[in-house]
Amino acid sequence: MNKSAILLVTIAVVGIVSFNTFFVVDEFHTAIVLQFGMHMKTIHTAGLKAKVPFVQDVLHFDKRIMEWDGQANKIPTRDKKFIWVDTTARWKITDPLKYYQRVRDEFGAQKKLDDIIDGINRDVVSNAELIEIVRSTNRDMRYSEEFYTQAELQQKVKEERQKQDQELEQKGDGQIQPELLKIKEGRDEIARRIIERSKKQVGESDLGFEIIDVLIKRVNYTEEVQEKVYGRMISERQKVAEQYRAEGEGQRARILGDMEKKLKEIRSGSYRKAEEIKGKADAEATAIYANAYQKAPEFYAFLKALQNYHDSIDERTYFIFSTDNEYLKYLKHADLSEDSKSE
Amino acid sequence: MKEPYSQFENYMYWKYLARKYFWPIFLVSVALIFLASSFYTVASDEVGLILRFGKYAGTYDPGLHFKLPFGIDRVHKVQVMKMRTEEFGFRTKTPGVQSSFKSQGYTEESLMLSGDLNMAEVAWIVQYRISEPKDYLFSIREKEKNLRDVAETVIRQIVGDKSIDEVLTIGREEIEEEAKIKMQAIFNSYHMGVTVSLVKLQNVTPPKPVAPSFNEVNEARQEKEQKINKAYTEFNKTIPQVEGEAEKIVSQAEGYAIEKVNIAKGDVAKFDAICEEYIKAKKITQTRLYLETMGEIYRKAGKKIVIDENLRSIVPLLDLERLK
């Protein structure tokens, strides 16, 4: 054998042995070293490590925060509303050896998490009323419609609830009705309860991992409930719309009524004023005439009579004169002496 | 011999070549691998984290750097400058000046409950950047999924405490601000190394089956305004008109008044003039006026019959019909 071949073989052998002795643990993982299945050591720090070749094995476990995402569950709340609840959890391997011994791998861990968290979700949610799962505080919610205040809503709700209480007994999952929207605990408390119970149960099960957090990602109505909620939302809005229309109509009637009133006011006022003026004028004219004619009333009467004769007599009038007539007196004689006497 | 070399000779030749060039080729390959694996570039919007034998050995800024070769040093690049956006309840189809959106099929993400147990479809975006590359790399495994889960959880929790009106219109800014704060708090508790720069609501609508009734409210509100305006318009149009007419009536009356008084004054003035004359010479004036008027009257009149005064004792029968 020549030197090259020996060199190559040596390199190969050294390579294989090193390959089986040295290993790298990175910042993303912890590792355990097993010797024929028996635990030798757990490595938490990253770096180049060594083990006994061929005899010992290394297993790596992700030491980062990992996620569990359960399927959405259909859960009835305590007040019989069926909802979809979708939670997701964050967990982390704390004891790789125990983890390996108890669940073996992530598949096993996820399955365990499914069982534990799904169960807790169901438990907590079905013991809470829907409003507790939705709301976090009792803050006053604001509305943009002026006549849709909280107080009125509460009142309306109370009345509706009294009406529908009997129906609720018969209908299983019940109609969605606007609740008295106040909570005793709230969403944060519900979430906290889920987290605590999950942590506790996982801890007690001693599975080598722990739960960091559980998030209530989605809460939604089931389809049947959705339909009823849509119906309620639609009718609520329609009432609001009607109210607007009624207001509009009412204001319009009021304005036009005012207008009619004002018109009558103006017209009657002007009529009165006009009549007053005319009356005054008539009175004034009468006074002027009276004052003037009083100076010589018999003369006025005389003039007026003459005027009347003039106006009333026309070619259709026949006159039958007696010669006694003043006008015709000169037909009988020509004596002027009488007249000079009256001077 | 036709064949230049036998098979054996070929084999020997190649063996010779291999032996002669093996080491050079080997050494050159090793050198090349050494070179290739001993430097790296970090782009201008990144930093590079070096893991030496898996152990964190430093964060490096943009530029050309050297590292230990043969995979001893591994570089993980993290984009720290880039502002990332996650979309919820919709996806931008074609980004650009006029982006188009796709909101169909994202109802699962967008549909949620409000605090008064109504429902709404909420679309929003979260803008964030990586502020701690080391944390970002080492703390959480599924970074994007975690971000999205937390975002959905937070938005739903906030919306679940607001009225439907606050969600649709009057409380949007509040929701955005609260969401930013809450999301950041959760990310910090995970040491995720991420900073939320913006949470912005996009299209927030009532669920489709309900939307028409919401529109109805808007329309009814407008109708109300219109009705009121029209009424006011009519008011403002009619009143001045009628006021004008009223003034006209009064003016007419005033005109009548003046006329009446003036006529009276005129008549009276005429009478006064004659009266003066009369007072000065009563009998003469009387007689004159009488005769003038009677003269005119008799001229105007039709037939005139004169009967002597002494004929009073005879019953006169005058056949007027025959006289016609």
Side-chain angles (χ1 to χ4, degrees):
Chain A
M1 269 268 199
N2 54 26
K3 274 181 282 192
S4 292
I6 297 175
L7 198 52
L8 266 176
V9 167
T10 318
I11 291 176
V13 165
V14 166
I16 292 173
V17 170
S18 332
F19 196 71
N20 241 280
T21 311
F22 297 107
F23 60 97
V24 166
V25 177
D26 61 25
E27 298 281 0
F28 307 113
H29 294 90
T30 49
I32 57 176
V33 176
L34 301 174
Q35 182 169 297
F36 301 120
M38 191 174 71
H39 172 247
M40 297 274 72
K41 59 180 170 182
T42 308
I43 306 169
H44 294 283
T45 48
L48 183 66
K49 312 288 173 185
K51 64 176 176 73
V52 176
F54 310 109
V55 164
Q56 293 185 333
D57 288 319
V58 186
L59 293 171
H60 295 264
F61 299 91
D62 207 317
K63 75 175 182 192
R64 293 175 293 184
I65 296 177
M66 297 192 277
E67 61 302 323
W68 168 86
D69 200 351
Q71 284 196 327
N73 289 323
K74 199 190 266 196
I75 308 176
T77 60
R78 182 150 87 190
D79 43 347
K80 310 272 187 295
K81 316 278 196 302
F82 276 85
I83 51 174
W84 286 106
V85 179
D86 190 351
T87 55
T88 181
R90 301 288 173 264
W91 60 283
K92 186 169 158 152
I93 299 174
T94 47
D95 185 341
L97 176 65
K98 190 149 288 167
Y99 178 81
Y100 179 67
Q101 288 166 341
R102 308 280 269 117
V103 301
R104 196 109 216 139
D105 55 14
E106 201 176 322
F107 184 75
Q110 296 277 358
K111 191 149 183 329
K112 268 282 189 298
L113 284 164
D114 277 340
D115 292 339
I116 293 174
I117 301 183
D118 273 348
I120 291 173
N121 280 343
R122 208 164 274 281
D123 216 23
V124 172
V125 168
S126 58
N127 269 308
E129 299 188 345
L130 176 63
I131 192 67
E132 303 282 346
I133 301 170
V134 173
R135 290 204 65 182
S136 316
T137 68
N138 274 323
R139 62 178 283 275
D140 273 329
M141 295 188 281
R142 290 163 17 227
Y143 290 89
S144 57
E145 322 293 358
E146 307 85 12
F147 37 80
Y148 214 50
T149 60
Q150 268 292 66
E152 286 181 37
L153 185 65
Q154 298 263 16
Q155 185 57 32
K156 207 161 60 92
V157 157
K158 211 182 271 177
E159 292 165 15
E160 261 190 70
R161 202 185 206 174
Q162 282 165 3
K163 266 195 289 178
Q164 290 176 358
D165 257 343
Q166 297 122 6
E167 290 178 44
L168 197 61
E169 304 294 309
Q170 292 142 15
K171 292 188 185 174
D173 63 350
Q175 274 182 307
I176 283 290
Q177 54 208 19
E179 304 283 343
L180 291 166
L181 306 163
K182 297 288 179 200
I183 54 170
K184 293 185 217 100
E185 301 179 301
R187 191 183 190 124
D188 292 341
E189 180 57 33
I190 299 286
R192 198 193 57 79
R193 196 175 296 156
I194 295 178
I195 296 174
E196 266 186 28
R197 288 196 195 173
S198 307
K199 279 185 172 175
K200 185 155 170 263
Q201 202 165 334
V202 163
E204 283 169 1
S205 308
D206 201 23
L207 299 166
F209 61 84
E210 68 171 5
I211 288 192
I212 308 262
D213 202 1
V214 180
L215 303 168
I216 302 176
K217 194 168 77 159
R218 288 180 193 161
V219 172
N220 265 321
Y221 293 125
T222 52
E223 287 75 29
E224 320 84 64
V225 176
Q226 240 179 50
E227 291 305 313
K228 294 191 183 105
V229 174
Y230 289 157
R232 170 173 65 81
M233 286 176 82
I234 289 175
S235 67
E236 275 178 0
R237 290 295 133 172
Q238 281 180 341
K239 282 198 198 106
V240 170
E242 268 172 44
Q243 199 134 352
Y244 270 136
R245 288 196 203 104
E247 276 210 338
E249 196 48 54
Q251 291 247 46
R252 192 181 82 97
R254 188 179 62 78
I255 293 170
L256 292 182
D258 279 352
M259 185 180 85
E260 281 306 313
K261 194 173 91 170
K262 197 138 169 99
L263 288 187
K264 287 209 168 82
E265 226 177 88
I266 294 172
R267 287 203 181 108
S268 61
S270 72
Y271 175 80
R272 181 180 62 90
K273 207 159 164 210
E275 292 302 298
E276 259 176 35
I277 292 172
K278 288 201 275 190
K280 257 176 69 179
D282 284 345
E284 209 184 318
T286 306
I288 291 173
Y289 283 127
N291 277 336
Y293 298 155
Q294 252 170 44
K295 288 188 236 156
E298 73 293 342
F299 183 55
Y300 169 69
F302 172 67
L303 280 182
K304 198 73 187 162
L306 288 185
Q307 182 68 40
N308 285 343
Y309 297 156
H310 192 274
D311 290 338
S312 61
I313 291 170
D314 60 16
E315 71 277 358
R316 287 174 295 169
T317 317
Y318 292 156
F319 271 112
I320 300 176
F321 293 117
S322 158
T323 47
D324 211 349
N325 190 305
E326 166 92 20
Y327 187 73
L328 298 175
K329 72 179 178 187
Y330 289 119
L331 282 181
K332 290 185 74 181
H333 68 85
D335 193 351
L336 292 167
S337 55
E338 277 181 18
D339 293 328
S340 52
K341 277 195 207 138
S342 51
E343 284 293 312
Chain B
M1 255 186 328
K2 271 249 175 106
E3 251 180 20
Y5 299 103
S6 71
Q7 265 200 322
F8 180 69
E9 283 172 323
N10 262 327
Y11 165 71
M12 288 308 293
Y13 178 63
W14 280 112
K15 212 164 144 201
Y16 164 74
L17 275 182
R19 199 168 296 163
K20 183 169 181 201
Y21 291 111
F22 172 74
W23 284 111
I25 292 174
F26 181 72
L27 288 172
V28 166
S29 315
V30 166
L32 282 176
I33 294 173
F34 181 92
L35 279 177
S37 65
S38 63
F39 65 91
Y40 62 97
T41 41
V42 176
S44 54
D45 61 346
E46 298 174 326
V47 292
L49 277 75
I50 292 290
L51 295 186
R52 184 162 299 152
F53 285 127
K55 192 177 175 68
Y56 173 68
T59 308
Y60 295 89
D61 284 338
L64 185 67
H65 299 277
F66 290 102
K67 64 180 176 77
L68 297 182
F70 299 124
I72 297 174
D73 276 0
R74 224 167 245 162
V75 63
H76 294 262
K77 296 183 194 172
V78 177
Q79 285 178 312
V80 291
M81 298 304 285
K82 180 171 169 185
M83 191 66 81
R84 296 156 189 246
T85 306
E86 287 292 327
E87 295 172 330
F88 299 85
F90 75 106
R91 297 294 181 272
T92 305
K93 258 201 313 191
T94 51
V97 176
Q98 292 217 330
S99 341
S100 65
F101 302 94
K102 182 173 184 279
S103 55
Q104 234 77 332
Y106 295 105
T107 324
E108 268 192 16
E109 276 175 15
S110 63
L111 197 59
M112 54 185 80
L113 266 62
S114 63
D116 46 10
L117 302 180
N118 287 319
M119 302 171 75
E121 287 184 22
V122 182
W124 75 97
I125 59 166
V126 177
Q127 269 186 0
Y128 70 99
R129 60 180 182 81
I130 299 167
S131 47
E132 296 292 328
K134 197 171 164 204
D135 283 347
Y136 185 74
L137 209 50
F138 299 140
S139 62
I140 296 199
R141 183 168 66 172
E142 292 284 340
K143 304 139 173 54
E144 223 166 87
K145 177 169 161 41
N146 187 52
L147 199 122
R148 292 188 67 87
D149 285 349
V150 168
E152 281 204 49
T153 303
V154 164
I155 287 280
R156 282 196 162 78
Q157 186 251 333
I158 295 172
V159 164
D161 213 22
K162 303 260 187 257
S163 73
I164 184 72
D165 283 351
E166 285 172 318
V167 175
L168 291 175
T169 47
I170 57 185
R172 284 173 62 124
E173 272 180 30
E174 269 173 45
I175 294 175
E176 288 168 354
E177 300 209 356
E178 270 183 58
K180 180 173 161 181
I181 294 171
K182 286 194 164 130
M183 284 186 207
Q184 189 64 59
I186 298 183
F187 294 145
N188 291 347
S189 75
Y190 296 159
H191 301 288
M192 200 172 160
V194 148
T195 300
V196 178
S197 71
L198 179 73
V199 176
K200 193 129 184 73
L201 297 182
Q202 306 290 300
N203 227 11
V204 180
T205 58
K208 286 180 195 50
V210 173
S213 66
F214 274 74
N215 287 335
E216 214 183 308
V217 169
N218 285 333
E219 282 169 17
R221 195 189 294 128
Q222 279 179 15
E223 255 182 62
K224 169 183 162 183
E225 295 302 315
Q226 275 176 14
K227 266 197 184 148
I228 293 176
N229 282 339
K230 267 175 75 173
Y232 272 129
T233 305
E234 199 175 323
F235 185 96
N236 289 332
K237 191 180 74 169
T238 312
I239 295 284
Q241 208 177 27
V242 170
E243 276 174 347
E245 285 170 19
E247 270 174 36
K248 198 166 97 171
I249 289 176
V250 170
S251 292
Q252 281 179 345
E254 283 168 350
Y256 166 92
I258 291 175
E259 193 186 46
K260 193 93 196 243
V261 168
N262 282 343
I263 287 177
K265 285 188 179 158
D267 285 348
V268 157
K270 188 165 107 178
F271 175 79
D272 278 347
I274 296 183
C275 198
E276 237 182 81
E277 203 187 315
Y278 166 73
I279 287 171
K280 279 195 224 155
K282 283 197 180 164
K283 188 86 172 115
I284 296 258
T285 312
Q286 237 179 313
T287 309
R288 180 175 64 80
L289 287 173
Y290 174 76
L291 290 178
E292 272 175 18
T293 309
M294 298 317 276
E296 283 172 27
I297 289 172
Y298 295 148
R299 266 197 289 283
K300 277 208 301 177
K303 291 241 189 276
K304 298 166 256 274
I305 298 171
V306 181
I307 301 176
D308 192 277
E309 71 220 51
N310 295 323
L311 279 180
R312 252 171 260 136
S313 53
I314 300 174
V315 177
L317 175 67
L318 205 52
D319 191 353
L320 291 167
E321 285 300 329
R322 275 221 316 178
L323 285 173
K324 272 202 204 152

